[in-house]
Amino acid sequence: MKFLPYGRQTIGADDVRAVVSVLKSPWLTQGPKIAEFEAELCSRTGARCAVAVSNGTAALHLACLAAGLRKGMEVVTSPVTFVASANAVVYAGATPVFADIHPGTYTLDPGEVRRRLTARTKALVTVDFAGQAAGAEELWRLARSRGLTVIEDAAHAIGSRYRGGAPVGSCRFAHMTTFSFHPVKTVTTGEGGAVTTNSTELAAKLRLLRTHGITKEPRLLSRHPGPWYYEMQELGFNYRITDLQAALGLSQLRKLDRFVRRRREIVSMYNDAFRGVPRLTIPLEAEGLRSAFHLYVLQVDFKALGTTRGAFMEGLKGRGIGSQVLYIPVHLQPYYRERFRGRPGQYPRAEAFYERTLSLPLYPALTDADVRRVVRAVRCLVSREG
């Protein structure tokens, strides 16, 4: 009986060939594949510029720096996210402020965001949880009315679409959008990330910061004694992606539509199986949106079942099925409790979501038989425990 993890990469022979071709080329890093990958990201998203970097956290960090965030500034974000969404704000010296989520979409509630705004608020880091950009338009209008920068954390949402059909990453409702290409994401580069933007000024800043703040561009230099000369003009980072990763990313992007279509088929199968089952709540796709569904997040009333989440997960594991909890609310992490006074009860919707959340296997290589096996296991455990 094969084990079904909650998420994994889908690598084909074409991906292997793409990487091998770079291994045989003169360039392993800082070569032409990176520009090709960035151009394909622009083509896929409709954004004017794309800057590929070493991982999704680096993308968030550079976006925060390019936005000019620094000490004394506040940034509103979601507690239901991976810690990187808030950590990047801290890396820049600013203070993360959390706002509660919408109870149906699990994304930031615009009304809750409005309540958290102060004179020190300079930006929003919105989070497209599980692939949905719910609330994007309302948050964008709110930010523009207050002169705030919007950084969209779309680590879950490559291939998703806003209302009206615009692709996530087009920066239709953000100044910058960040992506992650970790192996559990819809497309992968192994590790890797990117920032898209429609601002050439922001893109130039991002490119400078990803390479130690160093430039050799003659028009930007204070002097130009010869072709060897370069200047470090800002304190930047080594956040470069490699040509090996970019080649894999290019190959994966060519299959993005197929990957998203299969993910949505699997979600539909799960929803049909679990809809109406007592003590289970299926995920809501907000009206007008099209989610790429990075995650299948089921809400399970473990208490009403007379069990614990740990026991439920062990029951699935015993049947060869992996599951995961995504995410522990960021404000409850020890670092955020100590430094930013996070405490239970601050964001009741986020905490209620956490108490019941369970992510089931979701990736394109799952067969229909695999999905039916997951369904049988979940329903069996619900029936037995209930």
Side-chain angles (χ1 to χ4, degrees), residues 301-319:
D301 190 343
F302 300 104
K303 186 175 180 180
L305 288 172
T307 188
T308 66
R309 177 162 49 198
F312 199 92
M313 293 175 74
E314 285 297 321
L316 289 174
K317 184 178 178 182
R319 291 164 169 80

Side-chain angles (χ1 to χ4, degrees), residues 104-153:
T105 63
Y106 316 137
T107 57
L108 277 171
D109 184 321
E112 293 295 314
V113 170
R114 188 176 289 105
R115 290 181 55 233
R116 301 289 172 176
L117 299 180
T118 72
R120 294 183 296 277
T121 307
K122 301 300 178 184
L124 308 181
V125 174
T126 64
V127 178
D128 299 340
F129 182 78
Q132 291 199 82
E137 296 137 289
E138 191 172 349
L139 290 168
W140 177 245
R141 288 194 298 269
L142 174 61
R144 285 175 63 86
S145 72
R146 302 292 186 98
L148 308 178
T149 299
V150 176
I151 299 168
E152 180 181 15
D153 182 348

Side-chain angles (χ1 to χ4, degrees), residues 316-335:
L316 289 174
K317 184 178 178 182
R319 291 164 169 80
I321 295 165
S323 58
Q324 188 56 278
V325 176
L326 300 162
Y327 296 97
I328 302 169
V330 180
H331 69 285
L332 298 181
Q333 294 291 347
Y335 176 84

